Amino acid sequence: MVIYGSIITPLSKRDTLFSDYSLLRVSPLGTIDWVEHEVPPHKLEEALAKHGETVESIASQFRELKRGEWIIPGFVDTHTHAPQFQNNGAGSQFELLDWLKYVTFPEEQKYADVEYAKKMYRRVVRGSLDLGTTMCCWYGTLHLEGTKVLADVLNELGQRAYVGKCNMDRESAPTYQEASADDSLRDTLSFITHVEGLSSQPSQALVRPILTPRFAISCTGPLLQGLGEIAKQHPHLPIQTHISENSAEIAYTKELFPHCATYAAVYDHYGLLRENTILAHGVHLEQSELDLIKSRGAGISHCPTSNFNLRSGAAHVGEWLDNGNKCGLGTDCSGGWTASMITTMQLASVCSKVVSYYTKGDDASITGRFSKTQFAKYQLPIQTVFWLATMGGAEVCCLQDKIGSLEPGKLFDAVHVSILPETDNMHIWYDESESLESMFERFMTNGDERNVSEVWVSGRTVGGRLFK
Ligand SMILES: [Zn+2]
C-alpha cells in the first residue's frame, strides 16, 4: 500500500511533524518501507522515482487522502481492564477501595464462566480497535481459562497487546481471590505458556503475556516473592501493576508492608520494579519514589479519566516528565468511563490545566504560554499530550523501536483520521484554508471515534468507522 496525503507524527515530547503532503509505503510484511515528506502534487513522480516506482507501477495500491484527512500512529493504551468494560459509566459514587468491593469484583467474578468471557471479550477488543487503539496493556481476571480466551480473541482480531492474568491471593472478596500463592503462581506459568504458544516466533508475537500482580494489597509476600522469581527467570517478560492511586490505598499498603518505606519500595523489594514494568496511576508518588522508578527504568501510565472519576487526584505529569520518568496514557476502564484514547488525551490536557492552576501560585511568569525548559506548572502542550498517547506509551511498553511514530523500519500501526463533514461529528468546525496543525488541534479537542476511519496493526486493517 502507498498512502499519499497528510501525516502527523511525534518527533519528541515537544515537537510534532505536520506534513501536508507525504508519501508512505507499507511493505507486505506490515512495516513502513519508506516515507517522503513535503511532496506536493507536482513532485509526486520525482519522489516515486527515488524508490524505483512510477504513478503507473503503484496504481493498484495507491491511497490518496483528502484535505481534512491524515494518518497518525495508532494509540498505545498502557493500562486497562477488559473484564470491567461492562461497568463503564457505573459506580462513580465510590472511591477506589469501595469501588473494587461493591462494583468491580462482583463483575469480574462472572469470568469464571468461559462462555461469558467469550461473549464479552470479543465485544471489548472489537470496540478498543475501533477507537484507534493499536497496542493495549490488558488486565484479565484471576481466572486462567477466561484470560486465555482474552489472549485468543486479541490474537484473532489482530490487536497488538500485553495481556495478564491477575494475581490476587488476599484482601479481595471471599468468592473472588486465589486459594494460595502456589495456585496463583502455577496458573500464571500456565497462562504464559498458553500465550507464548499463540505465535511461532514469541519475540515477534502480536500478543504477549505480562505478569500482573493486581496491586500490593491483593498479594501476599510469598506471592510477590514468587512473581519476582518468575520475573528473574524471564527478563523479557513485562510486568504491570497499580501504584499510589488513592490515599487510603497507600496508607493500607504501608500498613501491610511495614518493612518498606514507600509504595514503590514494595515492588522494588520483590524484584518487580525494572525497565519493563508498567505502573498505573502514580497520582501521589513521592519524589524519592519517582527517583527510584526512574533509576529502575520503569514507566508510569497516567490515567486521568479514572483519576477524576474515582476522585483519586490530579497527577503532576509535568513534574514526572521534568524528572525524566517514562510516561504514557491509560484508559483504565472502568475506573475511567471510556476506552477511548481520544477522550483520555482530552482529559490529560484538562488535568494538566487543573494542576497548572493549583501549582503556579502567584508566579507571574507562568502564563498560558509554554516553557521550553520545563513542563511542571504549565499546561501540557497538545504536542506533548499526543506524544504521551503514542511514543510515550511505546517507551513505557519498551516498544519504542517498533511502534509509536511513523518512521521507516517501524511497524505500520496507524490510524486514518478524518474530520470531513461526512463523519457527522458536529463538534468539529474548521475551514479548509486552515493549517494542518490547526485542524489537528480541533481533532485533539473535539474528536471522537467518528473521526477514526480506519485502523491498521502491522499493515492489516483491523478496525475503524469504515471497517466491515
Ligand atoms: Zn487499573
Side-chain angles (χ1 to χ4, degrees), residues 301-419:
S301 174
H302 173 40
C303 305
T305 324
S306 173
N307 295 341
F308 282 131
N309 195 38
L310 298 182
R311 298 183 304 289
S312 300
H316 292 205
V317 177
E319 292 174 19
W320 303 350
L321 294 174
D322 286 342
N323 199 54
N325 288 93
K326 291 195 305 193
C327 183
L329 297 184
T331 58
D332 192 31
C333 292
S334 63
W337 60 85
T338 171
S340 167
M341 283 292 285
I342 300 173
T343 305
T344 303
M345 290 193 292
Q346 290 155 356
L347 270 291
S349 177
V350 170
C351 178
S352 74
K353 291 176 180 177
V354 171
V355 171
S356 171
Y357 179 82
Y358 285 106
T359 56
K360 70 183 173 64
D362 56 4
D363 186 345
S365 69
I366 309 287
T367 66
R369 302 180 73 82
F370 303 117
S371 160
K372 285 193 167 65
T373 55
Q374 73 175 60
F375 289 106
K377 297 186 181 179
Y378 290 84
Q379 65 170 299
L380 294 178
I382 290 283
Q383 288 88 341
T384 304
V385 174
F386 179 53
W387 181 89
L388 287 169
T390 53
M391 257 324 274
E395 286 185 4
V396 166
C397 296
C398 296
L399 293 173
Q400 66 275 10
D401 296 333
K402 295 185 173 174
I403 59 170
S405 61
L406 300 172
E407 296 172 61
K410 284 196 169 183
L411 295 159
F412 188 63
D413 285 14
V415 174
H416 171 187
V417 173
S418 171
I419 60 168

Side-chain angles (χ1 to χ4, degrees), residues 80-122:
T80 203
H81 300 256
Q84 293 179 29
F85 273 46
Q86 175 69 17
N87 280 345
N88 279 351
S92 64
Q93 69 270 37
F94 296 111
E95 288 196 7
L96 177 66
L97 297 180
D98 282 341
W99 171 82
L100 285 169
K101 183 176 174 184
Y102 296 114
V103 181
T104 304
F105 292 153
E107 174 60 24
E108 289 197 9
Q109 283 186 57
K110 296 179 186 173
Y111 287 78
D113 177 354
V114 171
E115 292 308 312
Y116 186 69
K118 284 180 182 171
K119 182 179 80 171
M120 298 303 285
Y121 284 151
R122 185 164 290 274

